[in-house]
Amino acid sequence: MEDLKAWFPIKSGITQKTTGHVKAVDGVSLKVRKGETYGLVGESGSGKTTLVKSILHLIKPTSGRVRFDGIDLGKAKRTEIDKIRRKMQIIFQDPYASLDPRKTVLSALTEPMRIHKVAESKATAVRTAIGLMTKVGLNREHLYRYPHEFSGGQRQRIAIARSLAVEPEFIVLDEPTSFLDVSVQAQILELLDKLQREMNLTYLFVSHNLSVVQHISDRVGVMYLGKIVEEAASKIVYKSAEHPYSHYLMTAIPVPDPGFVRKEQPLTGDVPSPVNVPTGCRFHPRCRYATEKCTVDEPRLYVAAKTHLVACHYDINFLKHRSKLRQMSNSISLRVKKSKAQRL
């Protein structure tokens, strides 16, 4: 993805004149390498789902380029995109809505094979469907049932099997475990990891569950209000996040210890509206480290380390140090005021 934008016009009046735009994705550039799992994290409303739909051209991007195996999807013809789409699949968030309630599992699995001409005959398609069901941990008897006869975890396994039916190379996982119980989440994540190793798959894993992303991802991109604000290897982001927003997210991960006392102040406020994007740094209205420069100049992604990209005007260690100095200064001034009051 190169400078990808997805803006939606706001129209009003009888003439339906465009009065503004919803800037859901506003200039995102990133690479997903073959065979890796790229984790995309951020709060609800940060533009993650719009980004992945733009990548797959389920939504036509406003501008920017999406290249898959060197092919520019924006310039490709419809017939070329249909061929490429076989290699690019998506598993949606809601397993209750992503399967057609009027079709059996067998029909759901064999339909994409027929459309993309993967199977030579109907018998071959059925054999492939049986193999896929076994791969995802279900039985061949399940092929003749309807979606309402399955639990949420089983439905998501069927959705995974459907995505594998056309032998893809790249799979987008749009919060695939958010609708599932914690125990079932672990099983689905283990299944995805196993399938990736066996079939040499590439994943783009989208989630707001930071613990899940940490478990499954090789690299992580942190998204805020339509932009990537930090990108690095998973271990680096979770151990030493550089951007204040990333730092807030990582320190908010629940700790399984009743006696644990969180020292960091929690992140306050909501994500601003993508219709009225703040000037300068988009995070400055919620950032306790923000300066006047942050309200005017928009920071660009720069290389903080070898493979670590950050979009912030300041170094996080400098910000923390400055914050401590402010606290000390405020504490001293408070003591001086109390002392003067006692003298009076």
Side-chain angles (χ1 to χ4, degrees):
M1 287 133 273
E2 297 175 11
D3 196 28
L4 195 67
K5 294 182 180 180
W7 292 9
F8 301 97
I10 301 170
K11 298 180 182 292
S12 61
I14 299 173
T15 58
Q16 288 293 289
K17 184 181 178 182
T18 301
T19 56
H21 288 88
V22 177
K23 300 177 182 179
V25 177
D26 195 18
V28 171
S29 298
L30 61 89
K31 288 183 181 179
V32 183
R33 299 168 189 148
K34 188 174 178 63
E36 78 167 351
T37 299
Y38 187 102
L40 190 65
V41 301
E43 292 172 278
S44 297
S46 59
K48 304 186 298 297
T49 298
T50 305
L51 176 62
V52 299
K53 287 183 177 180
S54 300
I55 292 168
L56 299 175
H57 273 243
L58 298 175
I59 294 174
K60 190 175 180 180
T62 306
S63 64
R65 292 201 301 172
V66 179
R67 290 189 295 165
F68 182 83
D69 277 348
I71 300 169
D72 189 339
L73 299 185
K75 295 179 180 178
K77 296 178 181 177
R78 178 71 189 183
T79 52
E80 291 178 309
I81 290 178
D82 288 341
K83 290 179 181 178
I84 295 167
R85 191 160 275 158
R86 172 186 164 184
K87 300 179 181 179
M88 306 164 67
Q89 292 294 303
I90 183 169
I91 297 170
F92 294 98
Q93 178 180 9
D94 186 358
Y96 296 92
S98 60
L99 296 173
D100 190 334
R102 296 166 295 178
K103 288 184 178 179
T104 62
V105 174
L106 179 62
S107 179
L109 296 185
T110 55
E111 184 181 29
M113 297 183 207
R114 177 175 51 80
I115 291 170
H116 290 283
K117 299 177 183 177
V118 176
E120 297 175 358
S121 63
K122 188 175 180 180
T124 306
V126 173
R127 284 197 298 271
T128 304
I130 293 170
L132 289 171
M133 292 296 278
T134 304
K135 259 183 182 174
V136 298
L138 296 173
N139 303 322
R140 62 184 298 169
E141 293 79 25
H142 293 141
L143 283 171
Y144 304 98
R145 298 181 185 176
Y146 289 88
H148 72 269
E149 299 179 74
F150 297 96
S151 65
Q154 288 175 320
R155 291 187 193 204
Q156 202 62 298
R157 288 174 186 270
I158 294 166
I160 293 170
R162 182 180 58 181
S163 71
L164 298 174
V166 290
E167 302 171 359
E169 298 175 10
F170 173 61
I171 298 180
V172 174
L173 302 151
D174 187 11
E175 305 200 33
T177 59
S178 63
F179 271 68
L180 309 177
D181 295 334
V182 176
S183 59
V184 180
Q185 285 183 18
Q187 294 171 16
I188 296 297
L189 291 174
E190 287 177 13
L191 173 62
L192 291 170
D193 186 48
K194 178 187 172 186
L195 292 171
Q196 184 177 37
R197 285 185 275 105
E198 290 179 354
M199 305 178 72
N200 193 28
L201 297 169
T202 303
Y203 291 153
L204 174 59
F205 194 96
V206 181
S207 181
H208 60 260
N209 189 326
L210 299 171
S211 301
V212 170
V213 174
Q214 182 182 19
H215 172 76
I216 199 170
S217 300
D218 300 306
R219 286 191 303 139
V220 174
V222 181
M223 195 168 181
Y224 183 79
L225 202 58
K227 279 189 175 289
I228 298 291
V229 296
E230 185 163 6
E231 179 187 286
S234 179
K235 292 180 181 178
I236 294 174
V237 172
Y238 280 84
K239 286 185 178 179
S240 55
E242 289 283 335
H243 195 280
Y245 177 64
S246 307
H247 182 71
Y248 279 122
L249 290 182
M250 302 311 155
T251 54
I253 297 174
V255 178
D257 180 5
F260 177 76
V261 178
R262 201 175 295 279
K263 296 179 182 179
E264 295 283 343
Q265 293 181 3
L267 180 61
T268 57
D270 298 319
V271 179
S273 170
V275 178
N276 298 309
V277 178
T279 58
C281 175
R282 297 172 181 227
F283 185 61
H284 85 260
R286 304 172 69 191
C287 182
R288 61 175 174 168
Y289 304 119
T291 63
E292 188 177 348
K293 182 179 182 180
C294 301
T295 63
V296 178
D297 297 334
E298 183 177 352
R300 303 290 180 183
L301 276 171
Y302 73 93
V303 182
K306 193 174 181 181
T307 56
H308 193 167
L309 303 176
V310 185
C312 183
H313 292 304
Y314 305 102
D315 179 80
I316 189 68
N317 294 318
F318 165 72
L319 294 173
K320 288 180 182 178
H321 179 65
R322 189 179 66 182
S323 178
K324 286 181 180 178
L325 289 177
R326 281 180 180 173
Q327 290 175 2
M328 289 172 62
S329 176
N330 292 337
S331 177
I332 291 169
S333 62
L334 186 64
R335 289 176 187 173
V336 170
K337 286 180 181 178
K338 284 184 177 180
S339 177
K340 286 182 178 179
Q342 287 173 354
R343 287 175 188 172
L344 291 171

